[in-house]
Amino acid sequence: MTNLTTITAKPAPAETQTCWSCGTMRAVHFCEACGKVQPPAPVDYFTFFALPRKLNLDVPAMENDFYELSRKLHPDLNARAASQEQEWSLQQSSLLNDAYRTLKDPIKRTQYLLKLEGIELEEQSKTATEQARSSGQVKKQIVPPDLLEEVFELNMQLEELRGLKKAGEDDPALIEEIGRQKLELEEKHEALLHELHEYWKTWDALIEREQAGQAVPASERKQALDKLVDLLNRRNYIRNLVRDVSEVLES
Ligand SMILES: [Zn+2]
């Protein structure tokens, strides 16, 4: 006779890996055996969608998973369940939405991956900029020096135009020149996005090697992450600069 105890006894299984209801292995959201919704497990967004940490995502496939899970986790559908299960269903729904929103956006996805790898990018959002301005703090921006040099002239011209507008004056030639540079910046932004998407392949290849059990040297991993950070910083800086230019031109 089979001794069930020895078969089921695993070396301290993580609490998150077994179903609260029937005790078998479960998926992140539902138990595959009994179908019961599970308490949210502390997993990252990639794991939530059962995806490897790769940057080239099959977005339509993830979208399908999202809609299927949305339906299954919908609190109305679980209205007759015990309140604890309803609560989990709500929490899982909210996790699902966060995971989906983050992963479907190429930039957010890259930033999120970096965060998982222990790298927080300098906050460069408009809100952060405004907060920094209103509090009189200098907002830190990690901008590659060569890029700063490249846009130095434009930043000076922007300052000049801001001053003129404040004084109620105008300078059509300056406005035209800044408008021309704005177009160049927009092209540069597109080019950086393209470069970033190309670089995803390098990162994904590294993950594939790891999945295949090959050891990837830490230096190589770091190099790949540094490149992603550099591309994102450049892209974010250009995006913010385009926004600043638009604001000044439209003010
Ligand atoms: Zn179960």
Side-chain angles (χ1 to χ4, degrees):
M1 204 180 129
T2 320
N3 184 340
L4 280 174
T5 321
T6 54
I7 289 175
T8 52
K10 299 185 192 85
E15 186 188 10
T16 55
Q17 284 175 342
T18 50
C19 171
W20 61 271
S21 179
C22 72
T24 56
M25 292 298 284
R26 66 166 175 103
V28 175
H29 340 84
F30 295 99
C31 170
E32 279 165 3
C34 72
K36 292 266 189 192
V37 67
Q38 301 294 306
V43 295
D44 65 77
Y45 295 160
F46 289 95
T47 309
F48 190 89
F49 277 108
L51 291 165
R53 271 190 206 182
K54 285 164 42 173
L55 289 167
N56 273 295
L57 272 191
D58 184 346
V59 175
M62 184 183 67
E63 212 152 59
N64 285 340
D65 286 349
F66 168 74
Y67 286 118
E68 199 192 324
L69 282 170
S70 292
R71 275 195 299 274
K72 286 189 186 166
L73 288 169
H74 200 285
D76 289 354
L77 205 74
N78 294 286
R80 285 193 312 191
S83 66
Q84 178 63 83
E85 284 168 68
Q86 283 181 43
E87 180 63 27
W88 288 335
S89 150
L90 271 174
Q91 290 169 351
Q92 290 271 25
S93 287
S94 137
L95 197 56
L96 172 69
N97 286 322
D98 290 346
Y100 177 64
R101 262 199 300 269
T102 303
L103 292 188
K104 80 169 174 181
D105 180 277
I107 299 296
K108 285 187 188 148
R109 184 193 313 153
T110 312
Q111 279 173 345
Y112 182 70
L113 175 93
L114 289 173
K115 201 172 147 188
L116 290 180
E117 296 290 328
I119 302 165
E120 289 267 15
L121 256 77
E122 198 59 52
E123 178 59 65
Q124 297 186 346
S125 70
K126 200 174 175 204
T127 324
T129 307
E130 278 161 5
Q131 275 169 0
R133 267 186 201 154
S134 64
S135 66
Q137 289 174 327
V138 180
K139 189 165 76 74
K140 279 192 295 172
Q141 277 195 330
I142 312 298
V143 189
D146 62 305
L147 183 60
L148 275 185
E149 218 166 284
E150 206 181 309
V151 296
F152 178 76
E153 194 61 33
L154 174 61
N155 273 318
M156 298 300 284
Q157 289 169 336
L158 266 186
E159 245 351 276
E160 193 186 341
L161 187 59
R162 271 198 196 103
L164 285 174
K165 290 212 169 193
K166 229 177 225 168
E169 290 167 38
D170 199 7
D171 185 342
L174 183 61
I175 288 173
E176 197 188 318
E177 169 59 16
I178 291 175
R180 189 188 61 73
Q181 294 194 56
K182 186 186 160 204
L183 290 181
E184 278 181 19
L185 283 181
E186 283 165 347
E187 278 169 24
K188 195 176 176 62
H189 182 252
E190 280 309 301
L192 277 167
L193 279 186
H194 182 74
E195 201 185 333
L196 178 65
H197 291 184
E198 278 300 304
Y199 199 75
W200 283 356
K201 290 177 194 161
T202 305
W203 172 259
D204 290 357
L206 193 147
I207 294 295
E208 276 161 25
R209 276 161 57 205
E210 282 182 350
Q211 284 178 325
Q214 293 173 34
V216 174
S219 59
E220 195 184 330
R221 199 183 177 87
K222 185 180 179 304
Q223 206 175 21
L225 290 169
D226 285 350
K227 178 73 178 172
L228 287 171
V229 169
D230 181 64
L231 286 170
L232 274 183
N233 277 335
R234 283 171 193 273
R235 177 268 171 191
N236 289 350
Y237 183 78
I238 295 291
R239 193 241 359 228
N240 286 353
L241 188 54
V242 168
R243 200 169 46 206
D244 285 353
V245 169
S246 302
E247 270 176 18
V248 177
L249 287 177
E250 287 154 19
S251 67

